[in-house]
Amino acid sequence: METTQLDDAESTAKRFGELITRLAIEAGYNLDSGGGGRSALARDTGMSASAIGRMLSGRSLPMPSQLESIARAVRTDVRTLLVTAGVISEHSWPHATKPDVLSVTQQSPSLSPEAAADAWGITNPGIRSMLLASIEQAIRLQEASSRKVERGETATRE
């Protein structure tokens, strides 16, 4: 590896380590010596304590397979980790909406609350019942609001 590439890799690992340190502290890990935070972070990520130490000190980057557990532990997402630390550019992984969640303009008018629950994988009967009731209530409120607008009434709060 050329010297420039080695320097870039080292500075990327250092930025990543600084970011994870900051996020871990914000997430409640006490990273002070004897604070137990490094061990807890190792446990929560499934990484070894030595790998956590190398990562936090900026001596190494984690394996790609470890990124999700790190992001989860420090309460962020993988994209934020990689872009903020400068591992990848903002343009290489642009923000995008989930393709399986359609916007209002993309949804079929015949999409029922049950179909929405199915599409989102909501199978727990209690959660599903609550979701369906909420969707049905929202539909009724929207229809009532639309009727008021059609009649030229304005919605006011009491």
Side-chain angles (χ1 to χ4, degrees):
M1 190 182 299
E2 291 180 15
T3 304
T4 304
Q5 288 176 325
L6 185 58
D7 291 343
D8 288 346
E10 288 174 355
S11 63
T12 299
K14 184 168 177 53
R15 282 191 313 271
F16 191 84
E18 290 168 354
L19 174 65
I20 298 300
T21 298
R22 179 178 58 80
L23 292 173
I25 291 168
E26 290 172 4
Y29 293 94
N30 181 350
L31 300 181
D32 294 334
S33 180
R38 288 176 185 243
S39 296
L41 187 58
R43 178 196 65 231
D44 294 348
T45 60
M47 297 171 66
S48 69
S50 61
I52 291 292
R54 286 190 307 274
M55 177 181 65
L56 294 176
S57 67
R59 290 181 285 148
S60 69
L61 287 167
M63 300 293 294
S65 61
Q66 298 167 320
L67 292 172
E68 285 187 57
S69 62
I70 293 168
R72 194 171 26 259
V74 299
R75 300 182 185 147
T76 193
D77 57 82
V78 174
R79 181 191 182 281
T80 298
L81 288 182
L82 297 176
V83 172
T84 305
V87 176
I88 62 172
S89 73
E90 177 86 25
H91 304 293
S92 64
W93 190 348
H95 281 288
T97 58
K98 288 187 163 197
D100 56 336
V101 178
L102 302 176
S103 72
V104 171
T105 59
Q106 295 171 314
Q107 289 180 357
S108 164
S110 63
L111 181 66
S112 68
E114 291 82 8
D118 290 342
W120 291 325
I122 307 297
T123 59
N124 178 288
I127 297 170
R128 188 177 177 95
S129 175
M130 182 180 65
L131 175 65
L132 296 177
S134 296
I135 291 172
E136 289 166 0
Q137 177 66 13
I139 291 168
R140 283 191 298 274
L141 291 171
Q142 181 61 49
E143 288 170 349
S145 175
S146 295
R147 283 191 301 271
K148 284 183 178 183
V149 169
E150 288 172 3
R151 290 191 306 254
E153 298 175 20
T154 57
T156 58
R157 291 197 123 150
E158 297 178 15

